[in-house]
């Protein structure tokens, strides 16, 4: 057996400024959890961390819009997002928030260390302010025409059409997304991360990452060709305090939100270790050259994780409070960035009122149905268009008619006629061929998941399910029960063994239905158990985190050893068939009402 690997899964931090839509979880959520569940089933030591990003102007704008305090806004949406991610089954070891004292401490230590080492410099820049409120405008709340490609809806930080990173002042005819007015630009001093100081090191490092997705590697290589210092402070009164003077004494300046958000991967790991009573355990991932770090996000966050965060890690080295005496912090091994999920040819966007919120979706449909759709048809390597027609078709034709039908036919016949896993007779070549084909899927599908080819992995698993379904139809054990009960039992034994293995192969994608099937087959314990919302005390202040007791789970990434004679539980359908006309009509009406 191969040694257990240390796998860090770092998942992009969603803003606590509103509910998250299905495009968000198609980028950072479902892909990261498929990967995490597979690694846990393999027996590797997984540490999956993230949290809600609660600083900066997005939360401030949402608070002003709703007429409540920034803290109330962050609390409200942090809770909503945590519950949505729990209901979707995302197996975080720690999903926390950036408003903790621990996060501020880690962020300030990294900031201070970079400053002491000369990697943070002072420069002046033009900053956008709202003419109506006087507050600074977040780059993403400013739109205009891209100076490079002419796209008319480019954001102040990046053009979604050509992918270039931007500064709001570069936009042609910039306008605030809040009130449509042109922003007022004022010159003010700020601290900048000296990215050009890392240019050569970054270029060599990125060029060596041949295992990255081509879109990630190529985009990053282009970006480092023309690096400029990047501002890491903002004119705000909401965020992590700047730890160096004279900025530390200025009540109207804070650390820029993107800088403290990427540091959250480290601070969340430190919080996880502290909360479980092993305060140095995080070092087993972060200062272990044999560990592997995987980052999951949408494509609009690529450069923050392939250029800016590595630059911070290069600059911090083995210094500061957390590095000194223990070695350098590990760099990303892979940056798994998905493209955009669209609807009607438009990018899903809360601010543009083009959204299907996760909470609304899960109030009407099963979590596994959404997870399946994202894995099978989501934006893994190119933009994809969500349609309700395609969602219903995949649910009915693939989940229900292929996999669900195989499980239901097998369990119903076996339970009704045997009550337990039948004792098999001699297996025929056809029986053996099916079991060998399914067993062979563990290596193939595992390799695909390990290299973030989730769509291909799911296709392989569903192909095996269809083969098993065809086997059951051809062998027709129900027709043999009267005249050759032994052969009927052998066929059902073979089919039960096959679906017991397929249950594991599909667990990363379909954890809820796989757990139900695990129980219907007479097994005990969790292969995909419930997640937990837990209160954490931090020096008298309490915040809630999403976590789970994954060490107690019993699933293993290996073929079934289902024993003859094991009692089966009464069968029940795994999936619900949807009425296509009803679903499409109702959902299109909801979209039209939301856009009105």
């Amino acid at each position: 057996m191969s040694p257990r690997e240390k796998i860090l899964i770092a998942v992009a931090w969603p803003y606590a400024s509103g509910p998250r839509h299905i495009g968000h979880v198609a980028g950072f959520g479902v892909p990261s959890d498929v990967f995490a569940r597979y690694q846990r089933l393999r027996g590797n030591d997984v540490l999956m961390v993230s949290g809600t990003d609660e600083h900066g102007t997005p939360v401030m704008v949402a608070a002003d819009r709703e007429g409540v305090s920034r803290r109330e806004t962050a609390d409200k949406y942090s809770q909503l997002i945590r519950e949505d991610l729990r209901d979707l089954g995302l197996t975080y070891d720690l999903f926390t928030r950036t408003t903790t004292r621990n996060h501020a401490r880690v962020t300030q230590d990294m900031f201070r260390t970079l400053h002491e080492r000369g990697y943070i410099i002072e420069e002046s820049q033009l900053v956008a302010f709202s003419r109506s409120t006087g507050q600074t405008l977040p780059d993403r709340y400013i739109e205009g025409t891209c100076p490079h490609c002419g796209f008319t809806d480019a954001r102040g930080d990046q053009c979604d059409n050509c992918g270039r990173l931007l500064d709001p002042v570069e936009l042609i005819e910039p306008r605030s997304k809040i009130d449509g007015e042109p922003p007022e630009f004022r010159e003010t001093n700020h601290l900048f991360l000296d990215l050009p100081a890392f240019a050569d090191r970054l270029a060599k490092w990125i060029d060596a990452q041949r295992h990255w997705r081509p879109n990630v590697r190529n985009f990053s290589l282009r970006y480092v060709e023309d690096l400029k210092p990047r501002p890491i402070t903002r004119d705000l009164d909401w965020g992590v305090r700047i730890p160096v003077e004279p900025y530390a004494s200025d009540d109207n300046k804070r650390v820029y939100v993107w800088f403290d958000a990427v540091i959250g991967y480290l601070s969340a790991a430190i919080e996880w270790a502290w909360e479980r009573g092993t305060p140095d355990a995080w070092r087993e991932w972060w200062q272990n050259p044999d560990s592997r770090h995987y980052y999951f996000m949408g494509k609009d966050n690529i450069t923050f994780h392939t250029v800016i965060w590595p630059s911070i890690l290069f600059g911090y080295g083995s210094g500061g409070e957390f590095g000194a005496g223990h070695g350098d912090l590990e760099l990303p091994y892979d940056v798994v960035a998905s493209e955009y999920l669209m609807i009607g040819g438009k990018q899903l966007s809360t601010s543009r009122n083009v959204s299907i919120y996760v909470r609304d979706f899960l109030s009407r449909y099963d979590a596994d149905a959404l997870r399946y759709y994202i894995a099978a048809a989501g934006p893994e390597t190119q933009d994809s268009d969500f349609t309700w027609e395609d969602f219903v078709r995949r649910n009915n034709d693939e989940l229900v008619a292929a996999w669900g039908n195989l499980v239901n036919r097998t369990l119903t016949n076996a339970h009704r006629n045997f009550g337990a896993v039948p004792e098999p007779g001699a297996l025929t070549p056809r029986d053996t061929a099916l079991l060998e084909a399914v067993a062979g899927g563990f290596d193939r599908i595992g390799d695909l998941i390990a290299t973030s080819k989730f769509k291909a992995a799911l296709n392989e698993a569903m192909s095996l399910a269809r083969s098993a379904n065809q086997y059951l139809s051809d062998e027709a054990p129900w027709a043999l029960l009267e005249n050759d009960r032994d052969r009927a039992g052998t066929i059902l034994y073979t089919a039960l063994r096959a679906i017991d293995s397929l249950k594991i192969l599909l667990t990363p994608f379909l954890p809820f239905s796989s757990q139900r099937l695990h129980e219907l087959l007479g097994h005990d314990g969790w292969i995909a158990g419930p997640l937990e919302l837990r209160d954490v005390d931090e020096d008298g202040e309490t915040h809630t985190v999403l976590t789970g007791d994954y060490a107690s789970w019993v699933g293993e990434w290996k073929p079934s050893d289902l024993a003859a004679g094991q009692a089966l539980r009464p069968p029940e359908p795994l999936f619900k068939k949807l009425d296509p006309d009803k679903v499409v009509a109702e959902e299109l009406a909801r979209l039209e009402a939301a856009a009105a």
Side-chain angles (χ1 to χ4, degrees):
M1 183 177 178
S2 59
R4 295 165 69 98
E5 291 186 72
K6 297 289 184 184
I7 305 291
L8 179 81
I9 301 175
V11 189
W13 294 62
Y15 277 131
S17 55
R20 298 299 91 183
H21 56 62
I22 62 172
H24 292 129
V25 295
F28 74 78
V30 173
S32 64
D33 189 63
V34 169
F35 189 80
R37 286 180 182 272
Y38 163 71
Q39 295 290 352
R40 296 187 202 280
L41 287 166
R42 283 291 306 272
N44 287 326
D45 292 327
V46 172
L47 180 56
M48 179 167 161
V49 294
S50 186
T52 42
D53 187 356
E54 302 181 7
H55 291 136
T57 42
V59 172
M60 296 169 65
V61 169
D64 290 346
R65 183 176 63 243
E66 297 178 14
V68 297
S69 72
R70 288 108 181 236
R71 186 69 199 209
E72 287 174 309
T73 298
D75 287 346
K76 171 185 175 181
Y77 289 115
S78 179
Q79 177 182 345
L80 188 154
I81 292 167
R82 277 194 309 273
E83 291 173 353
D84 284 354
L85 301 186
R86 175 200 61 192
D87 294 345
L88 194 55
L90 305 189
T91 53
Y92 291 97
D93 290 274
L94 189 81
F95 184 87
T96 182
R97 44 197 312 189
T98 57
T99 47
T100 66
R101 294 179 183 178
N102 168 74
H103 177 70
R105 171 174 156 240
V106 177
T107 299
Q108 289 172 337
D109 177 67
M110 298 199 84
F111 194 110
R112 189 183 300 109
T113 302
L114 289 167
H115 187 265
E116 290 170 354
R117 293 185 166 191
Y119 294 122
I120 291 178
I121 57 179
E122 186 177 57
E123 291 186 5
S124 63
Q125 69 169 151
L126 291 174
V127 175
F129 288 80
S130 167
R131 294 178 185 271
S132 58
T133 68
Q135 293 180 350
T136 55
L137 286 168
D139 295 346
R140 293 195 173 200
Y141 279 74
I142 303 171
E143 288 184 335
T145 300
C146 175
H148 304 286
C149 70
F151 181 58
T152 56
D153 290 324
R155 299 194 312 258
D157 62 345
Q158 187 171 7
C159 175
D160 288 339
N161 185 57
C162 69
R164 295 286 290 268
L165 288 188
L166 300 171
D167 189 281
V169 74
E170 298 178 79
L171 292 174
I172 300 168
E173 297 183 351
R175 60 191 180 275
S176 166
K177 288 171 61 176
I178 300 171
D179 55 20
E181 293 294 318
E184 177 185 349
F185 289 99
R186 306 175 195 166
E187 189 165 342
T188 177
N189 286 345
H190 281 283
L191 295 174
F192 286 64
L193 180 63
D194 187 9
L195 288 178
F198 305 104
D200 291 342
R201 196 171 175 185
L202 282 167
K204 291 176 183 176
W205 175 69
I206 295 169
D207 185 62
Q209 309 309 310
R210 304 285 172 164
H211 54 283
W212 286 7
R213 286 178 176 174
N215 65 321
V216 175
R217 182 173 173 275
N218 294 338
F219 183 85
S220 302
L221 283 173
R222 289 196 301 271
Y223 183 66
V224 297
E225 291 175 358
D226 186 28
L227 285 179
K228 297 180 176 63
R230 184 85 175 175
I232 57 173
T233 60
R234 274 292 188 258
D235 293 290
L236 302 169
D237 60 0
W238 174 248
V240 175
R241 296 297 298 251
I242 302 166
V244 298
E245 293 291 358
Y247 293 82
S249 301
D250 191 335
D251 285 338
N252 295 308
K253 289 191 186 290
R254 293 291 188 275
V255 174
Y256 192 12
V257 65
W258 67 256
F259 183 86
D260 87 83
V262 292
I263 292 172
Y265 301 121
L266 175 62
S267 71
I270 292 170
E271 181 185 337
W272 165 84
W274 184 266
E275 197 274 330
R276 68 198 291 266
T278 54
D280 282 333
W282 64 272
R283 299 185 190 277
E284 297 174 24
W285 283 266
W286 279 97
Q287 291 166 319
N288 176 3
D290 293 328
S291 67
R292 287 193 171 184
H293 294 200
Y294 296 81
Y295 289 73
F296 288 83
M297 71 214 62
K299 67 178 177 181
D300 54 340
N301 280 322
I302 289 175
T303 49
F304 295 106
H305 295 82
T306 63
V307 176
I308 294 172
W309 178 227
S311 295
I312 295 171
L313 293 171
F314 283 144
Y316 188 79
S318 57
E321 177 183 349
F322 302 101
H326 295 276
D328 291 350
L329 301 173
E330 289 299 307
L331 293 165
Y333 172 75
D334 200 0
V335 177
V336 185
S338 299
E339 301 292 299
Y340 289 138
L341 185 67
M342 320 285 277
I343 184 165
K346 297 179 180 178
Q347 182 186 340
L348 282 158
S349 168
T350 301
S351 60
R352 296 189 179 109
N353 222 13
V354 184
S355 297
I356 303 171
Y357 293 120
V358 174
R359 175 154 297 192
D360 292 342
F361 199 108
L362 296 183
S363 72
R364 296 188 289 277
Y365 308 104
D366 290 340
D368 276 356
L370 176 56
R371 291 176 64 109
Y372 181 86
Y373 182 89
I374 289 172
E380 185 173 299
T381 56
Q382 61 184 21
D383 293 346
S384 65
D385 204 50
F386 175 89
T387 68
W388 286 106
E389 292 89 346
D390 193 36
F391 169 72
V392 173
R393 179 188 65 78
R394 288 184 180 275
N395 180 84
N396 291 351
D397 295 353
E398 297 172 19
L399 277 182
V400 176
W403 175 227
N405 182 49
L406 167 66
V407 170
N408 193 56
R409 290 199 298 167
T410 304
L411 286 176
T412 298
N413 279 282
H415 184 268
R416 177 189 300 149
N417 296 288
F418 295 91
V421 179
E423 188 72 41
L427 300 186
T428 68
R430 183 87 189 273
D431 304 334
T432 302
L434 175 64
L435 294 177
E436 288 179 348
V438 174
F442 282 84
D443 284 343
R444 295 195 309 276
I445 293 167
D447 288 345
L448 289 168
I449 296 176
T451 52
S452 303
K453 298 179 178 69
F454 307 119
K455 189 174 297 187
L458 182 57
N459 285 340
E460 283 273 347
M462 291 300 290
S463 177
L464 290 171
R466 293 186 186 94
S467 296
N469 222 346
Q470 188 63 52
Y471 162 86
L472 196 64
S473 295
D474 292 346
E475 297 295 323
W478 44 85
L480 302 173
L481 285 165
E482 287 190 17
N483 299 323
D484 194 349
R485 184 176 175 82
D486 288 346
R487 177 58 191 156
T490 301
I491 296 166
L492 288 170
Y493 165 84
T494 302
L496 287 166
R497 284 272 306 278
I499 66 171
D500 196 34
S501 289
L502 285 164
K503 166 202 75 182
I504 294 295
L505 292 172
L506 287 165
T507 290
F509 304 96
L510 308 171
F512 297 96
S513 55
S514 294
Q515 177 63 35
R516 290 200 301 274
L517 176 54
H518 181 71
E519 295 164 7
L520 294 176
L521 287 165
H523 297 296
D524 295 320
W526 295 104
I527 58 167
L531 310 183
E532 177 187 350
L533 295 176
R534 181 186 302 162
D535 287 340
V536 174
D537 180 75
E538 189 182 44
D539 300 326
E541 291 186 0
T542 300
H543 64 278
T544 305
V545 301
L546 174 61
T547 184
D549 180 21
Y550 313 124
S552 66
W553 291 8
V554 299
E556 295 182 72
W557 191 258
K558 66 177 186 179
S560 166
D561 56 3
L562 186 65
Q566 178 161 300
L568 300 170
R569 295 185 173 107
E572 60 184 46
L574 292 184
F575 308 105
K576 301 171 187 173
K577 188 172 183 178
L578 301 174
D579 181 331
D581 294 334
K582 183 173 184 290
V583 168
V584 171
E586 290 180 353
E587 296 300 344
L588 290 181
R590 287 188 181 96
L591 283 172
E592 290 173 4

